[in-house]
Amino acid sequence: MNPTPTAPAPGAEPLAAAATPHLRPVAHFTARDTWLNDPNGLLHHAGVYHLFFQNNREGSTWGPMSWGHATSTDLVTWSEHEVAIPNTPEENVFSGSAVADVRNTAGFAGPGQTALVAVYTSAYTSASSRPGIQAQSLAYSLDDGRSWTRYADNPVLDTGSSDFRDPKVFWYGGDDGHWVMVAVQAVDRQVVVYSSTDLLHWAPESTFGPAHAVEGIWECPDLFPLAVPGTDDTKWVLVVSLNPGAVAGGSGTQYFLGDFDGSTFTADRLCDSTEPADHDWLDYGRDYYAAVSFNDAPDGRRLTIGWASNWDYANDTPTHPWRSAMSLVRELRLVRCPDGRLRVAQHPVLPQAPSAVRVFDLEVPSAPGDRTEVVLSSGDPDGGTLTIALDGDERTVTLDRTRCGAVDFHPAFPSVDAAPLIGGDGATTHLTIVVDGCIVEVYVDGGLATLTQQVFPHQPLTTLHLEPSPAR
Ligand code: FRU
């Protein structure tokens, strides 16, 4: 669950406002002038990518939650629209997903129409008759996502739980298939699987967890197949966000590989096995949470977006009036690694036209004995410095943001975070570094590991140089 939202420190906002313009990213979506957190309802429909998002339409910190709405045709240029599903005094509209009900299973569509159906968590407030309860509800659109109507018989799935949320719904199978919902019983660290033929009635199928990282609660699950390279097989990827207790501290996103038969997810090898385990972190930085994928992306692509912040300090980051950004859209594929394991590799969708986003592609020495620093700076000693260090002995890449502009707004923010060097030839490591306003994403060896971090330099990070560093 979210920490209680904190008000910005007195006096913090005018200063932050002055510092904000160069911090607003271009290809990472931000809300115009409000707060956002998790991506919701990611859907491709009629040539348009829809990004809904957790949005406090009244302010710059977490608060009453609605579904904001943005669209894009190229996945890097987003237009924000009116709030799609507004909160009410009785109901906060928590995270969930959206589907195109092309078979009109729910019966919302008239002749010639396709209903888009949002499946979201109703988080009932103290003003409701069910304070604290979380249940799953529907809203639908008959005009390609422009306007949304709540289903009259909400909620459609209610277990009386106060920690049952974040439904991801997708169609499983062909014409005689069915809808699958994965959601969480957050405090139990469990993914719960339900099925339905009409989106209105849901039957329990199975549960998964607790497993792997369980120090925090589980949130925002996703489940999807990816092709196994060099075969006709697929593996299913179960994505689960965790808060706190993630690899870099605070909130983060893990995944499990396994199989799914329309009812039950079975992980291949778990961490208590003596064999290598088939789970990992989707990102090793501090700022990648609640990542979920688009339904119905063209050409079978599996495209994801994460929220580029961390619940430890999300309410305190120094931008105003907008606060928090999404990650870049990432395309996911499975890769067979030198150690024999299958891993998820992530590739950023980058602007094709010239843009303010800076992308650096580098081949950096990383053989045993090598230690190289990639230094990003504004060219001005006071502007801020971000250091990415490759250590050929430790087999790590670390990202140090402790000297990069504003860091002291929260004790958990100034951090040095590490990812393992997994791929490569043992002599060099390929880095793709994307710098866009206050977000830096580092893709290591074709995205076998990624590090996503927020930075708040006093001036834009425009220059990059390499420094071999002395032996320790
Ligand atoms: C994850 C989360 C979800 C919840 C939403 C509320 O960041 O806590 O579990 O639905 O945020 O904004």
Side-chain angles (χ1 to χ4, degrees):
M1 198 57 187
N2 307 304
T4 312
T6 52
E13 295 216 347
L15 183 67
T20 292
H22 72 280
L23 296 176
R24 193 194 277 269
V26 175
H28 294 75
F29 176 72
T30 54
R32 223 172 356 246
D33 51 13
T34 53
W35 160 275
L36 66 72
N37 56 289
D38 315 353
N40 296 154
L42 301 183
L43 176 68
H44 181 263
H45 172 70
V48 175
Y49 292 93
H50 292 265
L51 159 62
F52 300 88
F53 54 92
Q54 288 288 279
N55 183 216
N56 176 5
R57 58 197 168 118
E58 293 159 19
S60 304
T61 52
W62 190 80
M65 282 291 114
S66 299
W67 273 29
H69 186 199
T71 54
S72 173
T73 52
D74 64 3
L75 295 168
V76 291
T77 318
W78 294 95
S79 307
E80 187 176 348
H81 307 290
E82 289 303 299
V83 163
I85 314 176
N87 68 299
T88 68
E90 293 79 30
E91 183 196 58
N92 280 317
V93 185
F94 273 16
S95 287
S97 51
V99 297
D101 187 9
V102 292
R103 297 174 179 83
N104 199 21
T105 62
F108 293 141
Q113 292 178 323
T114 297
L116 305 188
V117 182
V119 189
Y120 67 89
T121 298
S122 297
Y124 295 109
T125 70
S126 52
S128 77
S129 59
R130 314 202 61 215
I133 296 297
Q134 298 185 347
Q136 316 320 320
S137 292
L138 307 181
Y140 59 90
S141 170
L142 301 177
D143 57 6
D144 293 332
R146 276 183 280 278
S147 63
W148 292 81
T149 305
R150 280 172 161 86
Y151 175 52
D153 284 332
N154 278 339
V156 294
L157 179 55
D158 183 357
T159 60
S161 166
S162 49
D163 286 294
F164 175 34
R165 60 181 179 272
D166 307 340
K168 173 65 190 263
V169 173
F170 60 94
W171 183 260
Y172 179 87
D175 277 339
D176 52 2
H178 59 268
W179 297 108
V180 171
M181 176 196 293
V182 288
V184 288
Q185 285 290 352
V187 174
D188 297 342
R189 284 80 167 155
Q190 264 190 345
V191 173
V192 289
V193 182
Y194 288 80
S195 68
S196 172
T197 53
D198 60 5
L199 296 168
L200 309 176
H201 305 89
W202 292 92
E205 294 287 343
S206 62
T207 63
F208 174 80
H212 188 222
V214 294
E215 194 181 310
I217 57 169
W218 281 17
E219 297 185 316
C220 299
D222 195 2
L223 180 62
F224 49 82
L226 288 180
V228 177
T231 74
D232 294 332
D233 296 341
T234 53
K235 274 282 162 210
W236 285 76
V237 184
L238 178 65
V239 175
V240 183
S241 285
L242 173 82
N243 177 35
V247 60
S251 48
T253 309
Q254 60 181 330
Y255 71 84
F256 301 88
L257 295 183
D259 292 310
F260 181 64
D261 61 4
S263 161
T264 304
F265 174 80
T266 310
D268 281 357
R269 291 174 293 185
L270 286 175
C271 45
D272 51 3
S273 158
T274 49
E275 293 181 88
D278 288 310
H279 55 71
D280 207 336
W281 296 97
L282 213 45
D283 196 282
Y284 282 81
R286 285 210 180 188
D287 295 312
Y288 195 74
Y289 196 60
V292 285
S293 66
F294 281 84
N295 277 329
D296 302 342
D299 306 322
R301 295 173 86 191
R302 187 53 58 173
L303 301 169
T304 57
I305 299 181
W307 173 47
S309 194
N310 189 310
W311 279 120
D312 274 357
Y313 46 71
N315 282 286
D316 302 311
T317 52
T319 62
H320 182 83
W322 60 277
R323 185 177 269 126
S324 286
M326 294 299 175
S327 74
L328 291 173
V329 176
R330 298 176 177 185
E331 179 164 4
L332 271 48
R333 293 191 201 115
L334 284 179
V335 170
R336 181 76 66 189
C337 294
D339 62 6
R341 275 180 60 180
L342 281 174
R343 284 192 179 80
V344 172
Q346 302 176 77
H347 302 264
V349 177
L350 294 169
Q352 295 303 304
S355 112
V357 181
R358 289 180 191 83
V359 183
F360 303 96
D361 263 308
L362 311 170
E363 205 66 37
V364 185
S366 61
D370 284 337
R371 193 178 143 83
T372 312
E373 290 187 347
V374 179
V375 181
L376 277 155
S377 68
S378 61
D380 175 324
D382 298 328
T385 301
L386 182 69
T387 306
I388 301 167
L390 279 109
D391 190 320
D393 293 325
E394 299 286 329
R395 311 300 307 151
T396 56
V397 49
T398 56
L399 203 151
D400 178 347
R401 64 179 176 185
T402 57
R403 286 168 288 117
C404 197
V407 296
D408 55 6
F409 53 86
H410 191 283
F413 186 79
S415 66
V416 182
D417 300 302
L421 295 180
I422 298 163
D425 56 7
T428 60
T429 294
H430 185 88
L431 296 181
T432 301
I433 304 167
V434 185
V435 183
D436 183 17
C438 65
I439 310 289
V440 175
E441 298 192 24
V442 181
Y443 293 79
V444 187
D445 281 331
L448 281 176
T450 64
L451 279 152
T452 303
Q453 304 281 52
Q454 293 181 91
V455 288
F456 302 99
H458 299 307
Q459 293 168 24
L461 300 175
T462 48
T463 65
L464 178 145
H465 66 274
L466 258 62
E467 285 176 11
S469 66
R472 281 150 307 158

